[in-house]
């Protein structure tokens, strides 16, 4: 009798140089043989975006055609390949380029409400949707510790961190709908951490798909 509906693993591809496609396929097959049916590819900046030439600058990330090829291989061995990207924090690699300076709250966290941020996220999700067939996607959103305390604070004043995340998610969810995604996932640390917030657990639940 099967004890779990799904077995999932995460292959982190953004910490250092991205592994070769052949290496990912090797691990996907290995995990499939062990009974896993979902593999997440952690790629904060490990993929190339046509509209964002600095996104993967000199990092060795994957093209849409490489993602398609890996996706087809994963499906052939019974594995759903899922992108784990970043849409709020862990985007520091862009902050060294002047083209992105106005989009950041802190060195690591983008500015909630800034229109150019959502143009970037649209390009991210469009690219992933072209490369991977799964309509499940992991949005990251973890460790956004300085959220609302940098340029956002200077521009708009003090804000509730959890309220900012919910506002941000609503914009991101609209982009996901545009590209046919129906199962968004995220790390939960920023919405479950202790601290001063008017946002309750029921408010969070009400605003999550």
């Amino acid at each position: 009798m099967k004890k779990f509906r799904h077995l999932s693993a995460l292959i982190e591809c953004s910490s250092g140089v991205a592994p070769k496609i052949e290496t990912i396929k090797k691990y996907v097959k290995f995990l499939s043989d062990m009974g896993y049916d979902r593999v997440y590819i952690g790629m904060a900046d490990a993929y190339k975006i046509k509209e964002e030439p600095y996104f993967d600058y000199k990092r060795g990330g994957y093209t849409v055609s490489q993602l398609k090829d890996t996706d087809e291989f994963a499906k052939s061995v019974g594995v759903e390949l899922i992108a784990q990207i970043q849409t709020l924090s862990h985007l520091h690699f862009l902050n060294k380029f002047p083209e992105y300076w106005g989009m950041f709250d802190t060195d690591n966290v983008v500015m909630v409400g800034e229109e150019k941020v959502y143009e970037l996220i649209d390009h991210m999700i469009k690219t992933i949707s072209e490369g991977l067939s799964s309509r499940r996607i992991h949005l990251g959103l973890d460790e956004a510790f300085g959220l609302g305390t940098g340029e956002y604070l200077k521009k708009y004043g003090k804000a509730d961190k959890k309220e900012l995340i919910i506002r941000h998610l609503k914009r991101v969810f609209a982009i996901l709908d545009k590209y046919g995604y129906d199962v968004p996932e995220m790390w939960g640390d920023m919405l479950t951490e202790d601290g001063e917030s008017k946002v309750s657990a029921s408010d969070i639940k009400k605003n999550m798909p």
Side-chain angles (χ1 to χ4, degrees), residues 9-24:
L10 168 67
I11 301 174
E12 178 52 62
C13 298
S14 288
S15 298
V17 178
K20 294 180 179 179
I21 290 296
E22 291 76 15
T23 302
I24 294 178

Side-chain angles (χ1 to χ4, degrees), residues 71-83:
D71 186 63
E72 288 300 317
F73 174 80
K75 287 192 289 187
S76 74
V77 294
V79 170
E80 180 182 7
L81 204 61
I82 304 163

Side-chain angles (χ1 to χ4, degrees), residues 14-15 26 28 35 48 67 92 109 117 122 130 132 143 149-151 153 161 165 177 179 196 202 205:
S14 288
S15 298
K26 173 184 174 181
V28 166
K48 298 181 184 301
L67 291 175
H92 55 280
V109 180
V117 168
D122 186 288
E130 292 171 352
L132 301 181
E143 299 178 343
T149 65
E151 294 303 316
L153 180 62
K161 286 184 180 181
I165 292 174
D177 286 342
Y179 294 103
E196 293 183 10
S202 60
K205 184 177 180 181

Side-chain angles (χ1 to χ4, degrees), residues 33-52:
D33 290 344
M34 291 172 59
Y36 285 76
D37 61 349
R38 285 180 180 164
V39 173
Y40 290 77
I41 303 296
M43 45 184 188
D45 66 336
Y47 57 109
K48 298 181 184 301
I49 300 176
K50 180 177 63 176
E51 300 89 346
E52 307 287 343

Side-chain angles (χ1 to χ4, degrees), residues 16 26 41 51 53 83 85 108 111 121 125 127 138 147 149 156 165-166 171 178 182-183 198 203:
K26 173 184 174 181
I41 303 296
E51 300 89 346
I85 63 174
N108 192 46
M111 178 95 75
I121 294 172
I125 294 171
T127 301
H138 197 297
L147 179 65
T149 65
Y156 300 109
I165 292 174
I166 289 174
R171 295 292 303 271
K178 177 180 174 181
D182 53 10
V183 188
K198 295 180 181 178
D203 291 330

Side-chain angles (χ1 to χ4, degrees), residues 12-194:
E12 178 52 62
C13 298
S14 288
S15 298
V17 178
K20 294 180 179 179
I21 290 296
E22 291 76 15
T23 302
I24 294 178
K25 288 181 178 179
K26 173 184 174 181
Y27 278 100
V28 166
K29 179 61 168 65
F30 178 67
L31 288 163
S32 173
D33 290 344
M34 291 172 59
Y36 285 76
D37 61 349
R38 285 180 180 164
V39 173
Y40 290 77
I41 303 296
M43 45 184 188
D45 66 336
Y47 57 109
K48 298 181 184 301
I49 300 176
K50 180 177 63 176
E51 300 89 346
E52 307 287 343
Y54 292 113
F55 187 84
D56 178 55
Y57 191 64
K58 294 184 178 181
R59 291 277 290 153
Y62 311 118
T63 64
V64 167
S65 62
Q66 286 177 316
L67 291 175
K68 284 182 177 179
D69 177 55
T70 313
D71 186 63
E72 288 300 317
F73 174 80
K75 287 192 289 187
S76 74
V77 294
V79 170
E80 180 182 7
L81 204 61
I82 304 163
Q84 192 275 301
I85 63 174
Q86 294 291 345
T87 56
L88 181 61
S89 58
H90 294 294
L91 293 168
H92 55 280
F93 55 88
L94 290 176
N95 207 13
K96 60 187 174 184
F97 301 111
E99 290 83 352
Y100 294 94
W101 285 350
M103 296 167 56
F104 279 82
D105 180 0
T106 70
D107 289 345
N108 192 46
V109 180
V110 293
M111 178 95 75
V112 172
E114 170 60 47
E115 289 304 316
K116 287 186 177 180
V117 168
Y118 301 102
E119 290 176 16
L120 170 63
I121 294 172
D122 186 288
H123 295 158
M124 291 178 181
I125 294 171
K126 174 177 178 285
T127 301
I128 296 299
S129 73
E130 292 171 352
L132 301 181
S133 58
S134 175
R135 295 301 93 172
R136 178 184 298 271
I137 189 168
H138 197 297
L139 302 169
L141 291 107
D142 59 310
E143 299 178 343
F145 301 123
L147 179 65
T149 65
E151 294 303 316
Y152 188 95
L153 180 62
K154 294 177 187 177
K155 194 171 182 179
Y156 300 109
K158 189 176 181 180
D160 186 311
K161 286 184 180 181
K162 293 183 181 181
E163 194 273 332
L164 283 179
I165 292 174
I166 289 174
R167 278 177 48 200
H168 183 66
L169 281 171
K170 286 181 177 179
R171 295 292 303 271
V172 176
F173 291 154
I175 297 169
L176 293 177
D177 286 342
K178 177 180 174 181
Y179 294 103
Y181 284 93
D182 53 10
V183 188
E185 300 175 346
M186 62 178 286
W187 304 119
D189 55 312
M190 297 307 299
L191 289 177
T192 58
E193 70 171 0
D194 294 330

